[in-house]
Amino acid sequence: MPYRETDATRRRAEERRAGLLRAARELVARHGFAGAKITAIAQECGTSVGLVYTYFDNRDELLATVFRESASHELTAVRSATAAADPAAHARLDAFIRTFAGRALRGRQLAWSLLFEPVSPIVEAERLTYRRAYVDLAESILRDGIADGTFAPQNVGLSGAALIGAISESLVGRLNPVGYDGLDALEDAVIVDAIVTFCCRALGASTSVPTSRQETP
Amino acid sequence: MPYRETDATRRRAEERRAGLLRAARELVARHGFAGAKITAIAQECGTSVGLVYTYFDNRDELLATVFRESASHELTAVRSATAAADPAAHARLDAFIRTFAGRALRGRQLAWSLLFEPVSPIVEAERLTYRRAYVDLAESILRDGIADGTFAPQNVGLSGAALIGAISESLVGRLNPVGYDGLDALEDAVIVDAIVTFCCRALGASTSVPTSRQETP
């Protein structure tokens, strides 16, 4: 029964490929893209380096796939939180920032790798695509908020991009595995609140967003 | 006179190295880091590929040197403009943003390459260093502005980083050689003003910075 044999073979191949990607994802989340060496991935899966190269042309292709999968997972989480929030623009913005920053601060190595770790141009191209997707989401919130008077009139393309830049750069010091910023004394909640405040002010928000959860007595 | 001969040899070597770097810099400014191939650099200097490798271990080392030189030149321009401005914090912030954004919009390919072009991890590490230097400069302006009541009280480390993120991401759409942002109809002056407004609002600036030079009749 050659047809069913092909089917089973294909299924086994898919499972192996998924296993390699899973191992690579875990290595990235622990040690960054620099730590996801082909030898380490093969070792985690109990296979040979040669087998990895039967599934992926080269390391860049494998890492670009890992980037896409991990970044897509994060983007989906932010999109879902934004869609589940109170539909008022300021509440959606609040959900956007708190989900993005909160998840980054809970999974620092992965967030560092997705946002800032120096990677090859092929992987970096994936990063630019995902930044664009976040800008698109921010723009849609901005557009609604300007229409209903929540935010000041402004160019949504520029402000959307500026927001994503402000949010992600605010996190670079805290996420950097080497560390450089003297923010170590700040609690994560204080950092997230500060980012929300910065962004709301930047947009000229008329509705004040709750930004001091940690300050309640 | 062996001593003077060594001197002359050294001088010629330094001149050759400087010539290779100059050619590489010009290629980057025209075609990005991806366009600065060793063969093209050698060709511009009328030398062989082999000779380039007697001055630089590999292409990454050469490009990292070009990055440092070009980024240092830009940073010096922004630092000088900030130092030459009215010492009031809002005027220094205004000079910072207008110099950074204005220069980027006048030399788009170079700015794209320095800020966003996907590069190798070794070159990317230089980029992180320069971003840090800009954050340091922003922090010093912020610190003074908070002390004299120009800006709202806030964590300067976070807001300094957020500012640099906001400024540079605002430019990504306009600088991208491929283009993706639908901002083509906006004049450069409008973009710079919008960035100034966004940043001043974000900092809770009490002193309004002139942001509508292009709107005067």
Side-chain angles (χ1 to χ4, degrees):
Chain A
M1 293 184 295
Y3 178 73
R4 286 176 62 196
E5 203 171 306
T6 305
D7 237 27
T9 308
R10 189 187 305 134
R11 202 177 320 118
R12 196 161 62 232
E14 279 167 8
E15 278 164 13
R16 264 201 190 137
R17 189 173 183 277
L20 291 168
L21 283 172
R22 193 164 47 242
R25 252 195 334 264
E26 282 162 15
L27 283 166
V28 169
R30 268 183 285 146
H31 309 294
F33 287 100
K37 309 277 187 214
I38 297 292
T39 47
I41 295 164
Q43 202 176 345
E44 291 277 325
C45 293
T47 62
S48 68
V49 164
L51 185 106
V52 179
Y53 286 115
T54 64
Y55 289 94
F56 300 94
D57 284 348
N58 51 55
R59 183 164 173 259
D60 269 357
E61 190 208 328
L62 195 164
L63 294 188
T65 308
V66 170
F67 192 103
R68 263 196 305 279
E69 287 187 357
S70 301
S72 161
H73 186 71
E74 294 304 309
L75 177 62
T76 300
V78 175
R79 273 199 184 129
S80 304
T82 308
D86 178 331
H90 73 272
R92 280 158 68 212
L93 180 72
D94 188 68
F96 181 110
I97 297 172
R98 289 184 190 282
T99 308
F100 184 100
R103 289 180 66 87
L105 292 168
R106 283 194 300 278
R108 290 188 197 181
Q109 175 63 60
L110 179 63
W112 167 261
S113 294
L114 292 177
L115 289 168
F116 305 110
E117 185 187 347
V119 289
S120 76
I122 287 163
V123 182
E124 180 69 27
E126 298 290 334
R127 181 177 283 159
L128 290 177
T129 302
Y130 277 92
R131 288 182 91 88
R132 181 64 224 169
Y134 282 106
V135 172
D136 285 341
L137 182 54
E139 281 184 18
S140 80
I141 298 172
L142 268 169
R143 208 169 283 121
D144 294 348
I146 293 168
D148 72 10
T150 302
F151 304 131
Q154 57 203 289
N155 182 292
V156 295
L158 285 174
S159 294
L163 269 191
I164 301 307
I167 298 167
S168 52
E169 287 293 320
S170 297
L171 296 168
V172 67
R174 175 54 64 101
L175 299 179
N176 193 336
V178 188
Y180 66 52
D181 67 347
L183 300 178
D184 294 348
L186 287 187
E187 278 179 40
D188 285 356
V190 177
I191 293 181
V192 176
D193 282 347
I195 299 172
V196 171
T197 302
F198 183 98
C199 291
C200 286
R201 275 203 306 244
L203 299 176
S206 59
T207 315
S208 125
V209 175
T211 58
S212 48
R213 291 180 187 178
Q214 86 295 352
E215 285 168 19
T216 47
Chain B
M1 293 185 293
Y3 179 73
R4 286 176 63 193
E5 202 171 305
T6 305
D7 237 27
T9 308
R10 190 186 305 132
R11 202 178 321 119
R12 197 162 60 231
E14 279 167 9
E15 277 164 13
R16 263 200 193 139
R17 190 173 183 277
L20 291 169
L21 282 172
R22 193 164 46 243
R25 254 197 330 266
E26 282 163 14
L27 283 166
V28 169
R30 267 183 286 145
H31 309 294
F33 287 100
K37 309 279 187 213
I38 298 292
T39 47
I41 295 165
Q43 202 176 343
E44 291 278 324
C45 294
T47 60
S48 68
V49 165
L51 185 107
V52 179
Y53 286 115
T54 65
Y55 289 94
F56 300 94
D57 283 348
N58 51 55
R59 182 163 175 260
D60 269 356
E61 191 208 329
L62 196 163
L63 294 189
T65 307
V66 170
F67 193 103
R68 264 196 305 279
E69 288 187 356
S70 301
S72 162
H73 185 71
E74 294 303 310
L75 178 62
T76 300
V78 174
R79 272 199 184 128
S80 305
T82 308
D86 177 332
H90 72 273
R92 279 159 66 213
L93 179 72
D94 189 67
F96 181 109
I97 296 172
R98 289 184 191 280
T99 308
F100 184 100
R103 289 180 65 87
L105 292 168
R106 283 193 300 278
R108 291 188 195 181
Q109 175 63 60
L110 180 64
W112 167 261
S113 294
L114 291 177
L115 289 168
F116 305 109
E117 186 187 348
V119 289
S120 76
I122 286 165
V123 182
E124 180 69 27
E126 298 291 334
R127 181 177 282 158
L128 290 177
T129 303
Y130 277 93
R131 287 181 91 87
R132 182 64 223 167
Y134 282 105
V135 172
D136 286 341
L137 182 55
E139 281 183 17
S140 79
I141 298 172
L142 268 170
R143 209 170 282 120
D144 294 347
I146 293 167
D148 72 9
T150 302
F151 304 131
Q154 56 203 290
N155 182 290
V156 294
L158 284 174
S159 293
L163 269 191
I164 302 307
I167 297 167
S168 52
E169 287 292 320
S170 297
L171 296 168
V172 66
R174 176 55 63 103
L175 300 178
N176 193 334
V178 186
Y180 66 53
D181 67 347
L183 300 178
D184 293 347
L186 286 187
E187 276 179 41
D188 285 357
V190 176
I191 293 180
V192 177
D193 282 347
I195 299 172
V196 171
T197 302
F198 184 97
C199 292
C200 286
R201 274 202 307 243
L203 299 176
S206 60
T207 315
S208 129
V209 175
T211 58
S212 48
R213 290 182 187 175
Q214 84 296 352
E215 285 170 17
T216 48

